[in-house]
Amino acid sequence: MPPMPDQAGLYRQMYRIRRFEQTVLDAFPKGVFYGTTHTYIGQEANATGVLAHLGADDIVFSNHRCHGHFIAYGGDLRALFAELMGKATGVCGGLGGSQHLHWRNFYSNGVLGSTAPVAVGSALAEKAKDSQALAVIFLGDGALGEGVVYESLNIAALWGAPVLFVVENNHIAQTTPIELALAGDIPARFAAFGIPCSRLDSSDALEIHAAAEAEFAALRATPGPRALVLDTQRFGPHSKGDDTRDEALMARIRQQRDPLRLLAPRLADTQRETIEAEVEAEVAAAFAQAEADPFPEAAA
Amino acid sequence: MSTVLAALNRGLHAAFEQDQRVYLIGEDLLDPYGGAFKVSQGLSTKYPDRVWTSPVSEAALAGVAAGMALRGLRPVVEIMFGDFSTLIADQLINSIAKFGAMYGGDVAVPLVVRTPMGGRRGYGPTHSQTLEKLYLGVPGLRVLAAHALSDPGELLRRAILEDDGPVFFVENKLLYLRPLAAELQDFEIEQHTPPGAYAATHTLRLKGAPSAALTLTAYGYMAELAREAQLRLAFEHEIFCELVVPGQLAPLLPGGELDGALAASLEKSRRLLAVEEGSYTLGWGAEVLARAAQAFPGGLKAASRLAAPDAPIPASRPLEEAALPGVEHILAAVQKMV
Ligand SMILES: Cc1ncc(C[n+]2csc(CCOP(=O)(O)OP(=O)(O)O)c2C)c(N)n1
Ligand SMILES: [Mg+2]
């Protein structure tokens, strides 16, 4: 039996993502941030449950909706706020912005699907170097419309790339519901290339943690691509104030599929309240620091 | 006598031998075939673990190479025909050339995409193009063009082993069978390496010729045709030209500055003809002329360019010959300018 996951740790990580993203959405209209953003509210259990199993040398590829992945990877909140503000102290010194983060073995890119071959190539490089490191790539349901993803699945399977494809199926791509964008089903796409795929419809961090644990164990035992489809829900707008979905339906979804609400009963009230208070303070301090940070100087 | 093809093949072998991090990925690479134009011959036999023959998936190949480069390897990607470089354009522009800068400067993407370009073989509209102009001016991407004046294999080896950024390496198809650095005895050749580059610009003048009346500039296989024109202009028409052949097409000098070798030649000749095989509008020559105009605010006596028309390249031999600039086109253009 694997040890019980650290429930308080999972809750804390998800709460950090939630409070970070809420702060972003609240502060955006005040002009504090610059550019765009795609928040992870509602999907916190995915990154938190999956990346809990990451080894120190493992590699993560993320997409436009990358804040949650970055925070779960261990990324610094102040540096992320600062990157969204375009500050010199940002993750990439303000050059990348919300969608283009790199820190240690974490990379994100805002061009949908383009990360698939890069993740496969990274995994193949680690295999060639005999490093034992794995790559994990997060893709949305919308990215499954990109042809290069399928070229990458084919190559990953042919060449035995140690990579875990995590599809976060939130049933929507920007404003387009999955019914208008995706024919057939998602696991069959992986099956076509002989890539083992499991699927979980849950927002429960413990369930996702367990499913990912099995995937990582299998991947470390037999290197070669695997896939995990996580059916999930995006609570907020695609970017900012651009949600076209039915408000009553969204209210019901938020009620039923909130990862925080699902995990909260497993913690003692006092423990949960302590975590929440600590995270509130941490996020507020990170935001204040980033706000006070300097902008980079443009080259003359 | 060695050919450009043999030199490129030697360059690849040298890179593989000198650095374990070098990998080759592309289509139909395995011996005895060794790639559609044979540039990769022998590598799969000698380095079976480092030559990965691939499915027909150009976009993914470029992306896979990007991932390999991010993780410390030095991959080379062979794109069978330069026409198919359009399939890797997203990876080139939005990943490969971007990572270095957009991630704040702490990431390197040392990879080389090699590809044959060009026509004059009757392959028709989709297998004959000279498309490198599409990638000139993509920030973060170096574009090199092989030529026969000095060892292109050595240039390729350096691009693979010594360049920590991405390189798009263009090999004109007709160059492959050209003898290397042959019939240069009549020329005095000066080499000048632009700042930040490692591919030299070659300036050719005929030995003992009077001062040049015109500066020709061309790269790749077109430089071979320009050199032939240069000889005929001198011997048949007593028009003396200098020929400036860059090895690096991009990046050009910042701030719109003209390449030093070209500036030095124009200082004397004050006439410029840029010749390229790519299509005319917004071509390489347009940029060269624009920079020359800025560099000589008092104006040049004449400035012009030759390029393929803005039309698909026909398959039929007479039509293709008429479309792509050749020696006769250069002779006619120069005679009009002096
Ligand atoms: C190649 C490409 N096309 C279009 C876009 C614009 N775009 C950004 S996010 C998005 C929808 C993405 O949907 P999905 O992959 O399901 O991820 P989600 O936003 O649901 O997390 C689109 C169309 C893009 N970033 N890249
Ligand atoms: Mg989606």
Side-chain angles (χ1 to χ4, degrees), chain A residues 105 107-108 114 126 129 151, chain B residues 57 60 63 71 91 94 103 106:
Chain A
N105 291 334
Y107 309 85
S108 72
S114 74
E126 297 304 324
K129 292 189 283 180
E151 294 183 18
Chain B
S57 305
R71 304 306 302 175
Q91 288 296 328
N94 287 324
Y103 288 144
D106 63 348

Side-chain angles (χ1 to χ4, degrees), chain A residues 43 63-65 110-112 140-143 146 170 172-174 238:
Chain A
Q43 302 183 200
N63 54 9
H64 59 293
R65 204 171 296 288
V111 184
L112 294 175
D141 48 292
E146 294 289 354
N170 59 14
I172 190 163
Q174 204 147 334
H238 167 64

Side-chain angles (χ1 to χ4, degrees), chain A residues 156 160-164 196 219 222-226:
Chain A
V163 56
L164 176 63
L219 191 49
T222 352
R226 304 188 65 83

Side-chain angles (χ1 to χ4, degrees), chain A residues 149-173:
Chain A
V149 171
Y150 302 95
E151 294 183 18
S152 304
L153 296 182
N154 186 47
I155 287 178
L158 274 174
W159 296 351
V163 56
L164 176 63
F165 295 93
V166 179
V167 177
E168 293 183 84
N169 172 26
N170 59 14
H171 311 88
I172 190 163

